[in-house]
Amino acid sequence: MKIGLDLGSRYVKAVFMEDGRLADYRYYDTLAFYREYGRKVDGELVVDYERLGWPLGAPITSTGYGRNLVKLAGGQVIPELRAHTRGAVFQTGMSDFTLLDLGGQDSKVIKVAGGRMVDFRTNDKCAASSGRYLENMAAVLAMDVAALGECRDKPVELSSTCAVFGESELIGQIIEGHPVEHLAAGVNRTIVKRVEPMLRELYSPVIVFTGGVARSQAIRVMLEEALDVQVILPEHPQLNGAIGCTV
């Protein structure tokens, strides 16, 4: 049994791999995970595996947003880009593609050739192309994120490239009387516009889409239409980094 841990900004994802297959997985709210199951000792995060109900003595490897904040005591740490590359190769069985990972607070584009990362682009200084942006915009529109992810027709043009100013612009568009569904489509189109330059720089006819945002059907279709590519969603897009820690 191997444990892979992706310490994300919004969720901690844990996977349990046995004999090369995914035996189990779990999600935890990040703040609750640190508060309830971890404590910092000598600069390292000590996790209460017994309280979590995880197998004791199993080797554990971590990666993700949280790895920049704490080192997991007794565990191995691998770079986030490497973990996501490995996870995508394992999940798809492919060796040549461009990986797009849109997480809670950042976005990553990785060019993969021969099963290895050959180039990458990241945007971790702005939340405008992340899950947090979608959550905030869905709240302004009084929609849940799943419903927002189904809207792609007649997108209203939103010019702001800032997650904070984007909320003010969206409120202004609501006052103008635009249908909520068209505004939601505009929000999704904004995500695509933000990542499109990175995807064109590291172009591949096949994009593997991972991260929580990959659950948005509208964004997947908009990516295909904007870039004339095939977008592949692995079975566990949000677990990709954690899976990559175990393979």
Side-chain angles (χ1 to χ4, degrees):
M1 176 76 72
K2 295 180 181 179
I3 301 174
L5 194 62
D6 184 357
L7 301 167
S9 61
R10 299 287 287 118
Y11 294 98
V12 170
K13 286 82 68 177
V15 301
F16 305 86
M17 298 287 286
E18 192 165 20
D19 299 326
R21 66 177 186 85
L22 183 60
D24 195 10
Y25 59 88
R26 297 170 198 174
Y27 293 91
Y28 306 89
D29 176 84
T30 295
L31 293 180
F33 181 84
Y34 290 137
R35 184 172 58 248
E36 297 176 18
Y37 303 110
R39 56 190 175 89
K40 203 169 184 180
V41 178
D42 296 330
E44 295 184 338
L45 178 67
V46 177
V47 175
D48 190 339
Y49 301 114
E50 187 172 3
R51 188 177 177 199
L52 283 163
W54 294 1
L56 299 180
I60 182 167
T61 302
S62 67
T63 194
Y65 182 89
R67 72 176 176 83
N68 298 314
L69 304 176
V70 290
K71 181 182 183 300
L72 192 69
Q76 180 184 359
V77 178
I78 66 173
E80 191 175 16
L81 298 178
R82 183 189 303 171
H84 282 276
T85 299
R86 288 179 176 177
V89 169
F90 177 82
Q91 288 205 80
T92 64
M94 300 168 54
S95 58
D96 299 278
F97 55 87
T98 294
L99 173 62
L100 170 63
D101 182 84
L102 300 183
Q105 291 187 3
D106 66 357
S107 53
K108 297 176 281 292
V109 175
I110 304 171
K111 185 67 176 288
V112 180
R116 301 174 65 87
M117 177 178 66
V118 296
D119 204 353
F120 68 91
R121 302 285 186 275
T122 63
N123 181 9
D124 57 4
K125 296 180 179 180
C126 176
S129 55
S130 70
R132 179 62 67 98
Y133 171 77
L134 288 179
E135 289 174 352
N136 291 349
M137 292 303 195
V140 172
L141 294 172
M143 305 175 70
D144 62 40
V145 175
L148 187 147
E150 297 175 357
C151 299
R152 63 185 177 90
D153 294 330
K154 300 180 180 179
V156 174
E157 186 69 23
L158 299 173
S159 59
S160 177
T161 58
C162 173
V164 176
F165 295 143
E167 292 184 29
S168 299
E169 182 183 12
L170 188 60
I171 292 171
Q173 296 286 6
I174 292 172
I175 295 172
E176 290 292 326
H178 292 285
V180 170
E181 292 78 10
H182 298 173
L183 291 170
V187 169
N188 292 326
R189 176 61 186 147
T190 298
I191 294 277
V192 173
K193 288 191 296 183
R194 289 284 294 176
V195 300
E196 189 174 342
M198 293 192 293
L199 290 169
R200 290 194 182 279
E201 284 187 59
L202 303 182
Y203 178 81
S204 169
V206 177
I207 293 175
V208 176
F209 194 9
T210 62
V213 178
R215 292 175 295 183
S216 170
Q217 180 180 0
I219 292 176
R220 295 201 301 272
V221 173
M222 287 178 172
L223 285 168
E224 290 181 329
E225 293 175 347
L227 295 160
D228 191 24
V229 295
Q230 178 186 11
V231 176
I232 293 176
L233 190 70
E235 184 176 0
H236 301 286
Q238 203 167 359
L239 298 175
N240 190 63
I243 290 172
C245 289
T246 66
V247 297

